[in-house]
């Protein structure tokens, strides 16, 4: 890995460690938001009872528990994440749920600490777009799978289909005095959102039967302030942009963000429209 990739990951690890507690606290809301998507991801990865499954960029382990439930005690789930703080929380969550078939470890998705051809299925929920080299991440999942093994990833689709994130990013960048970011910049939330882009990477990594499905996935919250609390305590990429601002400038940035997000209020509270891309494939 070049030094830029190393620095990028060191910064990502620091920020995800700092956001870990907030991400963990919001697991029930994330679970509800991603319920349908997670079910589809597990089905598209062909996860069966007794299977060995790799969960890449597993975070605090929400989808890990769904996988453990699906594979049952005869199966195994290995959850890997860059952030030691999140891995510890995933570990706790698996132990509390009594899932002895789950193992959690710290690791880089671009250099997975697992043996080749040792998994029946692999998933990555909302992680791959954050990798500086997502092709290398897919090559690693390909290496970890046995021939015939299946994979499914979830990433954000186009900026216009995820307007709250777009608003957050553009307003945060403006307040930080940074130029608008090209959505295609590697490691960004929308870096894999261009039509056909992720399918091309899957093919290049050696996968076949590649298919991408878009899922509408509205994120409901009781109020704009509840959403802002989630973002302020757990959304590492936004926090990273605002990290260098002093107290006054940060307060002004959050007030501006709140004002703009009020446009997404609904009669019953508040909701963030969102579209996600699920890509499934098979290792020949
Ligand atoms: C948006 S969170 C998603 C977590 C979890 N999959 C979920 O859906 O709740 C993104 C996760 O990607 C992890 N991550 C980012 N870059 C990574 C890398 N290169 N290798 C492994 N994990 C990475 C972060 O630590 C974080 O836990």
């Amino acid at each position: 890995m070049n030094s830029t990739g190393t620095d990028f990951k060191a910064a990502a690890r620091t920020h995800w460690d700092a956001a870990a507690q907030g991400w963990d606290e919001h697991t029930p809301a994330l679970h509800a938001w991603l319920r349908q998507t997670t079910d589809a991801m597990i089905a598209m990865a062909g996860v069966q009872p007794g299977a060995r499954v790799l969960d890449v960029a597993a975070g605090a382990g929400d989808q890990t528990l769904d996988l453990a439930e699906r594979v049952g005690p005869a199966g195994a789930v290995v959850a890997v994440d860059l952030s030691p703080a999140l891995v510890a929380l995933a570990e706790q969550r698996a132990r509390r749920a009594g899932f002895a078939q789950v193992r959690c470890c710290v690791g880089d998705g671009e250099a997975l600490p697992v043996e080749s051809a040792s998994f029946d299925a692999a998933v990555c929920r909302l992680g791959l777009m954050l990798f500086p080299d997502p092709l290398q991440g897919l090559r690693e999942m390909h290496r970890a799978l046995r021939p015939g093994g299946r994979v499914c990833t979830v990433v954000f689709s186009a900026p216009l289909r995820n307007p709250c994130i777009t608003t957050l990013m553009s307003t945060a960048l403006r307040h930080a005095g940074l130029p608008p970011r090209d959505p295609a910049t590697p490691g960004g939330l929308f870096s894999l959102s261009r039509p056909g882009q992720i399918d091309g990477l899957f093919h290049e990594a050696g996968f076949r039967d590649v298919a991408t499905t878009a899922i509408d996935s509205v994120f409901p919250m009781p109020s704009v302030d509840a959403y802002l609390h989630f973002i302020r305590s757990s959304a590492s990429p936004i926090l990273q942009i605002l990290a260098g601002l002093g107290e006054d400038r940060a307060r002004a940035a959050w007030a501006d963000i709140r004002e703009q997000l009020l446009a997404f209020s609904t009669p019953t509270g508040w909701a963030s429209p969102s579209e996600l891309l699920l890509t499934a494939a098979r290792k020949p």
Side-chain angles (χ1 to χ4, degrees):
M1 194 189 344
N2 62 30
S3 64
T4 315
T6 311
D7 292 350
F8 183 93
K9 283 181 198 160
R13 183 183 288 113
T14 303
H15 278 274
W16 280 108
D17 274 350
Q21 204 61 49
W23 188 265
D24 189 51
E25 278 166 22
H26 286 88
T27 293
L30 291 163
H31 185 83
W33 168 38
L34 297 169
R35 176 69 280 158
Q36 191 200 354
T37 303
T38 308
D39 288 348
M41 175 183 80
I42 291 173
M44 286 162 81
V47 178
Q48 300 292 336
R52 272 184 64 77
V53 185
L54 176 62
D55 183 5
V56 178
D62 178 49
Q63 72 288 304
T64 312
L65 263 53
D66 293 322
L67 290 164
E69 182 88 49
R70 178 81 183 122
V71 302
V77 182
V78 176
V80 180
D81 197 278
L82 196 59
S83 154
L86 279 165
V87 169
L89 290 163
E91 184 83 48
Q92 272 176 30
R93 177 163 280 121
R95 294 291 84 85
R96 274 202 307 267
F99 286 134
Q101 65 270 42
V102 172
R103 186 166 71 80
C104 302
C105 56
V106 176
D108 179 358
E110 294 178 9
L112 287 165
V114 300
E115 278 187 31
S116 300
S118 58
F119 290 92
D120 302 303
V123 301
C124 183
R125 189 181 84 175
L126 293 181
L128 190 65
M129 69 279 170
L130 301 173
F131 291 14
D133 186 353
L135 174 59
Q136 176 59 20
L138 288 172
R139 284 191 169 125
E140 276 295 273
M141 282 192 258
H142 186 275
R143 178 185 68 73
L145 286 171
R146 62 162 171 80
R150 297 193 60 85
V151 60
C152 185
T153 65
V154 179
V155 300
F156 284 108
S157 84
L160 282 176
R161 307 287 297 161
N162 295 276
C164 292
I165 300 178
T166 311
T167 301
L168 277 161
M169 293 288 287
S170 59
T171 312
L173 285 168
R174 183 161 44 76
H175 280 266
L178 298 169
R181 236 176 236 178
D182 177 355
T185 305
L189 288 168
F190 296 120
S191 61
L192 297 177
S193 67
R194 269 184 292 124
Q197 181 187 10
I198 194 162
D199 297 55
L201 292 179
F202 267 75
H203 279 289
E204 210 176 328
F207 287 109
R208 295 296 171 262
D209 300 336
V210 180
T212 292
T213 311
I215 287 198
D216 234 342
S217 179
V218 175
F219 188 7
M221 275 281 173
S223 65
V224 69
D225 292 310
Y227 180 71
L228 278 173
H229 176 59
F230 162 62
I231 297 295
R232 293 186 73 155
S233 60
S234 62
S236 169
I238 308 290
L239 301 180
Q240 229 167 326
I241 295 171
L242 292 174
L245 299 186
E247 210 178 300
D248 288 349
R249 287 178 63 205
R251 196 177 310 112
W254 286 113
D256 192 359
I257 287 170
R258 182 179 189 278
E259 190 60 34
Q260 296 190 50
L261 290 180
L262 278 173
F264 298 91
S265 300
T266 66
T268 52
W270 189 90
S272 165
S274 177
E275 188 181 79
L276 304 172
L277 299 178
L278 279 88
T279 306
R282 179 181 59 83
K283 175 173 173 170

